[in-house]
Amino acid sequence: MKRAIVFQSLTLFIFMSSCNINTKNFKNAKENTAYSQTKIGSAQFENGTDRILIKNNSAIDSIIERKMNSAGIVGIGAAVIIDKKLVWQNGYGYADKEKRIPFSSSTIMNIASISKTFTGFCIMKAVEQGKVSLDEDINNYLPFKVTNPNFHDEKITLRQLATHTSGLVDRYPFYTDSTYFYDGRKPEDLGVFLKNYYVKGGKYYSKDNFLNVRPGKIRDYSNIAAGLAGYIVEIRTGKKLNEYSKQFIFNPLKMKNSGWFLSEIDINKHSKPYEKKDDIVVHIKLSEGTTYPDGGVRTSVNELSRFFITLLNDGEYKGKKLLKKELAEEMLKFQYTETNKPDSINIKKMNSGIFWATKMGGTRIGHNGSDAGVRTFMLSDLDRKIGVIVFFNTSLDEKDENVFFDIYEELYKYAKGMEFKSNK
C-alpha cells in the first residue's frame, strides 16, 4: 500500500520513482479519521532498547535521536544485517506516546509495501509446488477472466504482475478512498473486489483500471495487481495467504508475532501510527485493506530480519531451507535486460525481481513501504553484504521527508563501519 509524497531533492525523487509511490495518493490518506493530538516538545524521547549484539553504539543512538526529535518522529525500530547475520537492533522513542510505551525492536507495526516481498515469496513457493508458473496466462488460474480491454488477445502473467508490467493499474482516488477500512470494519472479500474491479460490468470496473499499452511494455506500480497476484496464490493452493505464509514463512522462521491481519496480532504489542501536521502529532486509527497482499503484513524489525536474511541467503535461514535455491535466485534476479525491458526504463538505475527491486538510483535492492502513519525500509547493498531495516511509525510533512532517508543513510554508514571492523 502506498501513500503519495512529493520530494524536493533529486535523491529522493530517484528513490521514490523506483518505488512508484503515486502522488495522487497521500492527500487522501490524510483525510482518514484521527483522534488524539500531541504537541511536539523539545525534550529528548526516552530510548526503549533491546539487548544488542554490537556495543559502543552511543554515536548512532545520538544521531538518530537528534534527527527524530527535530522532525517529530514518534518511534523508530531498526536492525542491521551483515553477511546474513543480525548484528544490531534497537528501538527509539515510543510505540504509544500517550502511554509512554517505548518502541523496541520487538514492537509490531504494519510494514506496508514490504509485504509484497512476502507475496513474492509465496508465489515462488507455489511455483516450487507446481501450483503456478510465472509465465502462464493468469486466466488459466482465475475463476473470472481478466483482460486489458485495449488488448483483448494479450495474455497477462504472474511475472508481469510481480514486476509491475502487467498493464493493470491503480485508479486514484478510488484506491485510497475505497480499499481502506477503519474502526474494526472488515474489508470486502478480495476475490469479490477483484472481479468487480477487472471484469466488465463490475461495480468498480473502468477502462482507467488498465493502461493503453500491451502487457510488458510499461512499468507502472500497481497495488491492486499485487492483490491479484496474492489471490492467484490463494486460488491455486487452496489456502488464504495468511495461512500459506504461516506454514511456509512465519512458522519455520519462528515469527510468532507476525501476521497479515489485526486479528492475528497481539494489539498490545502493536505500535500506534502517527502523522505530523505542522508542529502537531496526530494519532491515526489502525486500518486494514481489501487488497492485503499489497501491504498487509504486521511484524517487528526483529522478526522481519529473519525473513530478510532468508531472501539474501538464497532461501535459507540458519541451515533451514525455506525455498529451493534456484527459485530464491529467480525471485531476486534482475528481470529486465537491455533487450527485454519496459520502455523508458534505465536498467542501470531501475530493475526488478519478483516483488523486489533496485532502489536509491540502482545502488540498493529490496523494498520499502509507505502508508498513513507508516514508513518502512528493507534494503541491502547490491552484493547482499549489508542489510538495513528501519520502521518509522510517523508520517511527516513534505518539508521533513528527507529525515527518513537521512536516518536510513546514517544506519547504512554505521553498518558499513561495522562490516569494515569485522573484516580487519
Side-chain angles (χ1 to χ4, degrees):
M1 301 183 189
K2 298 288 178 185
R3 290 288 189 270
I5 298 156
V6 180
F7 297 103
Q8 296 173 332
S9 72
L10 179 58
T11 300
L12 302 185
F13 174 77
I14 292 172
F15 181 88
M16 299 312 294
S17 295
S18 72
C19 303
N20 279 60
I21 291 179
N22 194 302
T23 56
K24 299 175 184 177
N25 202 346
F26 192 66
K27 181 178 179 182
N28 294 292
K30 297 187 177 186
E31 296 171 356
N32 289 322
T33 53
Y35 48 99
S36 64
Q37 296 185 345
T38 305
K39 191 82 170 181
I40 290 294
S42 59
Q44 288 287 90
F45 288 121
E46 293 179 4
N47 186 6
T49 62
D50 292 314
R51 181 180 300 171
I52 58 177
L53 306 179
I54 296 293
K55 297 181 180 180
N56 303 319
N57 62 329
S58 58
I60 189 66
D61 289 347
S62 178
I63 291 170
I64 291 175
E65 289 169 353
R66 174 170 49 82
K67 288 180 177 292
M68 69 183 289
N69 288 334
S70 66
I73 298 170
V74 176
I76 295 177
V80 169
I81 295 163
I82 297 178
D83 291 329
K84 287 80 173 180
K85 295 181 179 64
L86 175 64
V87 300
W88 179 90
Q89 56 184 317
N90 211 345
Y92 304 88
Y94 295 114
D96 187 326
K97 185 170 174 63
E98 291 72 29
K99 294 182 179 178
R100 302 184 71 81
I101 298 173
F103 200 114
S104 79
S105 62
S106 298
T107 297
I108 300 168
M109 206 176 86
N110 172 237
I111 60 173
S113 280
I114 292 177
S115 305
K116 291 182 177 70
T117 62
F118 286 85
T119 299
F121 187 97
C122 289
I123 289 171
M124 300 313 295
K125 193 66 183 180
V127 170
E128 180 179 294
Q129 295 176 329
K131 304 289 187 181
V132 298
S133 166
L134 292 178
D135 298 308
E136 185 76 22
D137 189 329
I138 60 172
N139 287 313
N140 292 334
Y141 303 139
L142 291 168
F144 48 83
K145 192 169 184 179
V146 176
T147 58
N148 187 323
N150 305 296
F151 300 93
H152 288 286
D153 298 328
E154 295 285 336
K155 76 174 182 178
I156 298 168
T157 68
L158 269 173
R159 191 185 303 273
Q160 291 168 344
L161 294 178
T163 56
H164 301 288
T165 58
S166 66
L168 308 179
V169 296
D170 299 337
R171 173 162 48 91
Y172 293 96
F174 172 82
Y175 173 72
T176 46
D177 290 347
S178 304
T179 65
Y180 287 82
F181 291 78
Y182 298 81
D183 294 320
R185 292 186 300 123
K186 293 301 178 185
E188 186 175 0
D189 177 80
L190 177 61
V192 172
F193 170 84
L194 291 168
K195 183 177 181 181
N196 276 318
Y197 190 80
Y198 287 126
V199 178
K200 190 173 183 179
K203 61 181 177 179
Y204 308 133
Y205 183 84
S206 168
K207 283 197 171 184
D208 293 333
N209 299 345
F210 309 86
L211 292 178
N212 190 19
V213 295
R214 295 181 185 278
K217 289 289 289 179
I218 295 291
R219 185 183 193 275
D220 194 300
Y221 192 99
S222 176
N223 293 291
I224 298 176
L228 180 62
Y231 178 65
I232 289 170
V233 172
E234 294 185 342
I235 291 294
R236 294 297 294 170
T237 65
K239 293 185 177 182
K240 291 293 185 181
L241 205 59
N242 63 320
E243 298 168 353
Y244 196 70
S245 299
K246 182 176 288 188
Q247 181 177 356
F248 294 108
I249 303 174
F250 298 149
N251 285 347
L253 295 178
K254 297 181 180 179
M255 297 173 68
K256 297 179 181 179
N257 294 299
S258 302
W260 284 89
F261 307 121
L262 284 171
S263 61
E264 300 174 299
I265 297 300
D266 182 349
I267 202 68
N268 295 314
K269 297 179 181 179
H270 198 294
S271 176
K272 285 183 177 179
Y274 295 88
E275 179 183 40
K276 182 184 177 185
K277 294 182 176 181
D278 299 321
D279 61 346
I280 300 294
V281 168
V282 182
H283 169 212
I284 304 169
K285 291 182 178 181
L286 293 173
S287 67
E288 292 189 287
T290 299
T291 56
Y292 53 85
D294 69 15
V297 170
R298 299 169 195 273
T299 188
S300 65
V301 295
N302 178 280
E303 294 195 355
L304 182 60
S305 69
R306 301 170 203 170
F307 179 64
F308 196 20
I309 290 169
T310 303
L311 296 181
L312 297 174
N313 197 38
D314 295 327
E316 183 175 325
Y317 182 78
K318 293 186 175 181
K320 184 178 295 184
K321 180 64 70 174
L322 277 72
L323 186 66
K324 286 183 178 178
K325 182 178 180 180
E326 58 268 30
L327 295 177
E329 289 175 342
E330 181 68 27
M331 180 179 173
L332 272 59
K333 184 182 78 176
F334 290 160
Q335 302 289 311
Y336 307 153
T337 66
E338 286 292 356
T339 57
N340 182 24
K341 65 180 180 65
D343 294 349
S344 303
I345 288 290
N346 178 351
I347 63 173
K348 293 180 180 179
K349 293 187 175 182
M350 173 68 230
N351 215 311
S352 176
I354 303 302
F355 287 128
W356 172 270
T358 54
K359 310 291 182 183
M360 300 287 199
T363 64
R364 311 286 158 77
I365 52 175
H367 219 295
N368 73 306
S370 180
D371 236 323
V374 173
R375 182 61 89 95
T376 55
F377 295 74
M378 187 183 78
L379 301 176
S380 164
D381 60 352
L382 298 182
D383 294 328
R384 305 187 206 170
K385 294 284 187 180
I386 296 174
V388 174
I389 296 171
V390 197
F391 290 3
F392 303 91
N393 67 358
T394 312
S395 298
L396 296 178
D397 292 333
E398 177 187 334
K399 63 183 176 61
D400 294 323
E401 273 289 323
N402 62 298
V403 176
F404 293 133
F405 300 90
D406 289 347
I407 291 174
Y408 164 78
E409 287 289 6
E410 290 292 348
L411 284 162
Y412 184 78
K413 286 191 291 184
Y414 180 58
K416 287 284 285 183
M418 285 192 280
E419 182 198 32
F420 176 76
K421 290 176 182 177
S422 68
N423 290 332
K424 287 183 69 174

